Amino acid sequence: QVQLVESGGGLVQTGGSLRLSCAVSGSFFSRYDMEWYRQAPGKQRESVAAITSGLSTNYADSVKGRFTISRDNAKNTMYLQMNSLKPEDTAVYYCHGSWRRLDLWGQGTQVTVSS
């Protein structure tokens, strides 16, 4: 069974940086389209950044220029480098993977940015 496991969240001050990781078990990771989502308290889950199997990337306007999504297919891992963090980036961050009929979510990792 394929599993997605996020790590790297934590507490950081405004302007700080964090790097999130999403490790994917099983085979065929390189074929997955991957995405980071986040959900703040009382708000809907929103897409933050996406990277396709072909390495095309897309970002939410709110994080453009500050966040960078990447993947290492040899390590079955996706990353989200988050710089210049703001209090409004505080949320639970989830990784999501999809391929054919597979639609997979991680358990989430908390990111808290203090002002």
Side-chain angles (χ1 to χ4, degrees), residues 7-13 15-21 36-38 48-49 59 63 65-70 79-86 89-94 109-113:
S7 61
L11 174 64
V12 64
Q13 291 185 332
S17 297
L18 285 173
R19 188 176 83 153
L20 305 183
S21 298
W36 287 100
Y37 285 79
R38 68 185 180 187
V48 175
Y59 296 91
V63 306
R66 300 189 297 122
F67 291 11
T68 303
I69 190 171
S70 62
Y79 303 98
L80 185 67
Q81 178 66 44
M82 305 186 294
N83 298 329
S84 302
L85 283 162
K86 305 175 181 179
D89 295 318
T90 295
V92 178
Y93 284 70
Y94 299 89
T109 185
Q110 176 71 46
V111 171
T112 302
V113 184

Side-chain angles (χ1 to χ4, degrees), residues 4-68:
L4 280 61
V5 180
E6 302 99 333
S7 61
L11 174 64
V12 64
Q13 291 185 332
T14 296
S17 297
L18 285 173
R19 188 176 83 153
L20 305 183
S21 298
C22 173
V24 180
S25 64
S27 304
F28 307 115
F29 171 73
S30 63
R31 303 182 189 184
Y32 287 51
D33 292 330
M34 299 295 297
E35 197 160 359
W36 287 100
Y37 285 79
R38 68 185 180 187
Q39 188 167 20
K43 295 189 177 181
Q44 288 189 329
R45 192 172 296 190
E46 63 175 354
S47 175
V48 175
I51 185 166
T52 68
S53 59
L55 303 183
S56 296
T57 59
N58 193 44
Y59 296 91
D61 287 343
S62 59
V63 306
K64 280 181 181 177
R66 300 189 297 122
F67 291 11
T68 303

